[in-house]
Amino acid sequence: MQTNHDEYGPERILEVYDPKTKMHGVLVVHNTARGPGKGGIRLVPDITTEEVMGLAQAMTWKNALADIPFGGAKAGIKADPKTCNKIAVMRAFASKVSQLVPSVYIAGPDMNTTEKEMAAFADEIGDLKASTGKPSVIGGLPHELGSTGFGVALSTKVALEHAKISISGATVALEGFGNVGTFAMKHLEEMGAKVVAISDSKGTAYVAGGMDYNKAMETKSSKGTITAYPGAKVLPAADLFTTQADILIPGARPNVITAQNVSSIKAKVVIEAANIPMTHDMERQLAKRGVLVIPDFVANAGGVISSYCEHIGATPSQMFTIVKDKVTANTSLVLSHTKDLNTRDAALKIAKERVREAMDVRGW
Ligand code: NAD
């Protein structure tokens, strides 16, 4: 028996193998008290059951806190994304887990799986409700609508109101200018904030007077990097985190705020748009210094809420309304339950209570 079982789960761990494609996969359904387990399928060469268990548990809390009727699950396929036939492997995985889909498990994209693999998964199961993140021609709500970045901007707005900082003119340093970063900037600019620094893999572009969203998008598409932004001072990518700005948004890679830079962070509010941009210990260190941190599973929930909208057949405009209502309400709720700036503990407590309540009414 694994040691990381607790009163919530995991309910099922299914390891599957298909000799024809040599597909080796694992599906972990952590908890289904609030609804079918929902979580993406990650395709990487070094996935382990332990890792998938941790990710499935995190999805239970994320979906519960997002207040959508899904439990938590995650799947992993052990394969090299560069050499394997992803569609064949995905179909083989779908066929091996088909009995659980969509009543116990609903798939979604994750590392190295896209809308094409989600379409193949649903097609193999024979039910479009088998997965989310499908192409729009078959009822998907694409990533390109920018639900996560929109949610990040809304969560930032609520955090600033709580910290009594006016969003109008508040300065922002933004790590990453991909799907999440670009949409976060678009909506923050509309709310009146001023993005003064943006980083990508090539470095950080800094403009003290603030950058313009349209100009930033034009720079990214024509020059391939934000560091070519006209008139920007170009700094190393790592300098983004210690930039003088009211708000810091880590929005690209994991573990970027570390023991080495945590004490140099100048922002008063940190919004975790990326997953796990720092350890809980780093979050506590920032809280001790009076910095308000909005944890990843609160701030970047726009994506899972959009998945739920796709599942119920919502239109893009209905999806934006639902994301707005839920992210705003959930961020406010977390902040109203936060003691000593310990936002993660407050958020986890709310999520666990929601799951416990569903388990109780089911008599589990
Ligand atoms: P993306 O691939 O679209 O963009 C990633 C960006 O990070 C790119 O602009 C890239 O240039 C930049 N980057 C790469 N290396 C960098 C470096 N060293 N320094 C600074 N920037 C660097 O990815 P995304 O979809 O925007 O996701 C970003 C993060 O948000 C990830 O942690 C992801 O797990 C998380 N997330 C995304 C969603 C979503 O819906 N897209 C939902 C929840 C969480």
Side-chain angles (χ1 to χ4, degrees), residues 62 143 147-148 175-181 199-201 220 237 251-254 273-275 300 303:
K62 185 169 189 167
H143 201 55
S147 57
T148 304
E175 181 217 13
F177 205 52
N179 180 264
V180 175
S199 68
D200 63 17
S201 55
K220 181 183 141 92
R253 294 161 312 136
N275 286 321
N300 69 26

Side-chain angles (χ1 to χ4, degrees), residues 271-318:
I271 311 290
E272 298 183 353
N275 286 321
I276 328 175
M278 65 181 109
T279 61
H280 303 179
D281 186 40
M282 292 302 121
E283 289 177 349
R284 280 190 284 269
Q285 289 201 33
L286 286 172
K288 265 192 212 145
R289 287 183 31 216
V291 179
L292 176 63
V293 179
I294 303 297
D296 46 10
F297 72 117
V298 181
N300 69 26
V304 292
I305 298 169
S306 171
S307 303
Y308 162 66
C309 294
E310 177 175 332
H311 187 70
I312 60 169
T315 63
S317 89
Q318 288 166 330

Side-chain angles (χ1 to χ4, degrees), residues 207-256:
V207 180
M211 297 160 90
D212 173 75
Y213 169 74
N214 290 326
K215 219 189 262 182
M217 291 302 283
E218 157 61 23
T219 305
K220 181 183 141 92
S221 72
S222 64
K223 304 274 190 316
T225 170
I226 196 65
T227 54
Y229 190 92
K233 188 169 158 190
V234 179
L235 304 162
D239 284 15
L240 184 280
F241 304 101
T242 53
T243 299
Q244 186 74 50
D246 301 315
I247 307 153
L248 171 63
I249 306 184
R253 294 161 312 136
N255 289 310
V256 287

Side-chain angles (χ1 to χ4, degrees), residues 146-157:
S147 57
T148 304
F150 178 54
V152 166
L154 293 162
S155 204
T156 307
K157 185 166 181 267

